[in-house]
Amino acid sequence: MFYYKRSDNDINSGVGFLVNKNIKDNSGDRIAQIIIQLSEMYRLQIIQVYAPTTNHDEEEVIEDYEEVYKLMEEEKTHFKIVMGDFNAQVGKKEDAKETSVGNLGYKKRNERGDLLIDFAEANK
């Protein structure tokens, strides 16, 4: 089953999942999630993100990060995967304290990259 959502008024957004027909999703036009029951004890939450481009206001980007955080907090699962296109350049590790970035990044980090790294660091 292919679950796909996009905004009626924005052709530059849309997220989705291709999954077994027994799995339901919870989708918006920029953030979607599915919960998969792996076993009796374990569930997996996958959050797919398509963040606004740099043409959009910073406030809209912050709201999307808040929505991702809210989804992560609402669902108590053993495993969580947050993935997608965050429209950010993270570059390489800039501080030895950063655990979510390696030394082999591409290009320089931009402001959206800072937001993504801060989000990743805060949420381990």
Side-chain angles (χ1 to χ4, degrees):
M1 181 72 64
F2 183 60
Y3 290 104
Y4 176 77
K5 291 268 186 129
R6 75 168 199 165
S7 173
D8 292 335
N9 59 356
D10 186 358
I11 62 170
N12 295 317
S13 68
V15 290
F17 294 100
L18 181 61
V19 296
N20 184 291
K21 64 183 178 182
N22 296 326
I23 298 173
K24 295 185 345 183
D25 81 330
N26 176 10
S27 296
D29 64 329
R30 291 207 174 269
I31 301 168
Q33 80 164 338
I34 57 173
I35 309 294
I36 300 171
Q37 190 74 40
L38 300 173
S39 69
E40 246 182 65
M41 291 179 45
Y42 298 111
R43 295 184 330 141
L44 167 67
Q45 177 185 33
I46 302 173
I47 300 172
Q48 173 71 31
V49 179
Y50 178 48
T53 62
T54 54
N55 298 343
H56 292 78
D57 292 335
E58 193 76 15
E59 186 174 306
E60 191 175 343
V61 176
I62 300 293
E63 288 173 5
D64 281 353
Y65 276 100
E66 290 171 353
E67 179 65 21
V68 171
Y69 179 76
K70 180 179 159 194
L71 289 173
M72 290 172 63
E73 287 296 304
E74 284 176 355
E75 292 295 334
K76 302 302 178 205
T77 61
H78 192 76
F79 303 105
K80 295 182 184 293
I81 297 172
V82 179
M83 61 186 197
D85 183 353
F86 285 82
N87 279 310
Q89 289 180 279
V90 292
K92 62 182 179 176
K93 183 183 280 194
E94 294 181 354
D95 185 332
K97 295 177 188 172
E98 292 176 346
T99 59
S100 58
V101 181
N103 293 321
L104 302 175
Y106 178 69
K107 293 190 176 182
K108 288 195 95 124
R109 186 175 299 171
N110 63 10
E111 288 181 30
R112 299 276 170 97
D114 285 331
L115 278 174
L116 181 55
I117 297 302
D118 290 345
F119 181 81
E121 294 290 322
N123 292 285
K124 297 180 180 51

